[in-house]
Amino acid sequence: MPHQGPEQLFAARLVADPGSPLVTFYDDATGERAELSAKSLANWVAKTHFLLVDELGAAVGDRAFVRLPVHWLAAPVLLGCWYAGLEVVTDPATATVAFGDADSLSALITPDRLDGAFAVSLLSMARPSPPPLGMADYSSSVRPMPDSWPTVRAQAGPGDLALAGRSRAELAEAARQAAEELGLGPAGRLMWTVPWAAPQHWVASLLAPLAVGGSVVLVRNPDPAKAAARAQAENVTVSH
């Protein structure tokens, strides 16, 4: 049976290979490296899901505005929103909740109009920064939430909207098409170095690897001199 949405793409990868790296992140400007297995990412997704559903009372059809640069924290934010039944949108005026780096959010939203506004610190977890006035820190907000994956259930159906007007079924199909266009085969490992400028970039960099049971290396502020050695060290099969 074909997968019906991004939630099922992730769930299938989690069952098939919970322990190997799923999302690896580099920031060549700071030297940061982070790596999450599917199991570790599931904990973050669960916490984000429960933050939205239990704390904010989010329901299927609600909308989340997300504005983040290439970063591993975008994965739990997006998947958490989808598991909670939300549609991720690019217009903050239509959203009831927002996630983003502090600078972007401050310029784009009015926090008191939203049910929740979460500043996602891009600094190392060891060096958190206080959120702007009217916003909550994402990591601090999700930390006390439950992380029991067996209690997480996808709230929406395949026809419910998931991303910028696309249904969940359409998004899963777009992920499979993106994998094909990238040349990403079964269990392939993608290295992504392009800045995120449109929803399609999330589809290609985060969902396409899930569609083939693979993984991704996200690189922010890429240093071209490191690309070849990194691709070899990370067993990359496709670079983009």
Side-chain angles (χ1 to χ4, degrees):
M1 180 181 293
H3 298 302
Q4 294 183 324
E7 305 96 315
Q8 288 74 29
L9 293 179
F10 176 69
R13 173 62 167 78
L14 178 60
V15 170
D17 187 1
S20 67
L22 173 55
V23 178
T24 304
F25 171 73
Y26 289 89
D27 186 334
D28 284 345
T30 66
E32 181 183 358
R33 182 185 187 276
E35 188 163 85
L36 286 84
S37 65
K39 184 177 181 180
S40 296
L41 180 55
N43 291 340
W44 279 87
V45 174
K47 287 176 175 291
T48 307
H49 164 271
F50 286 117
L51 173 69
L52 291 165
V53 174
D54 291 353
E55 289 293 304
L56 300 184
V60 175
D62 287 349
R63 292 173 169 174
F65 172 70
V66 178
R67 174 67 67 86
L68 286 167
V70 173
H71 200 279
W72 71 266
L73 280 166
V77 166
L78 290 167
L79 286 166
C81 287
W82 288 325
Y83 265 96
L86 278 63
E87 178 191 5
V88 175
V89 295
T90 56
D91 181 1
T94 67
T96 56
V97 63
F99 298 86
D101 61 285
D103 291 341
S104 295
L105 277 191
S106 296
L108 292 169
I109 68 166
T110 304
D112 59 9
R113 189 192 64 79
L114 299 166
D115 294 338
F118 298 95
V120 182
S121 176
L122 304 179
L123 299 175
S124 165
M125 292 296 179
R127 298 183 292 118
S129 58
L133 185 66
M135 300 183 199
D137 176 66
Y138 167 70
S139 296
S140 299
S141 298
V142 298
R143 191 168 291 119
M145 294 293 108
D147 63 2
S148 175
W149 183 254
T151 63
V152 175
R153 296 288 183 273
Q155 303 295 307
D160 290 312
L161 297 182
L163 179 62
R166 282 182 172 178
S167 73
R168 279 156 166 75
E170 290 171 335
L171 198 56
E173 180 57 32
R176 288 187 282 269
Q177 292 177 357
E180 184 175 346
E181 291 168 2
L182 288 166
L184 192 64
R189 187 152 168 82
L190 171 67
M191 185 162 72
W192 183 273
T193 61
V194 179
W196 286 335
Q200 180 58 30
H201 289 156
W202 289 333
V203 176
S205 61
L206 297 175
L207 296 184
L210 292 179
V212 298
S215 60
V216 64
V217 179
L218 299 173
V219 185
R220 185 179 180 215
N221 303 310
D223 180 351
K226 297 180 178 180
R230 177 173 294 150
Q232 183 176 12
E234 293 287 355
N235 298 310
V236 168
T237 60
V238 173
S239 297
H240 182 81

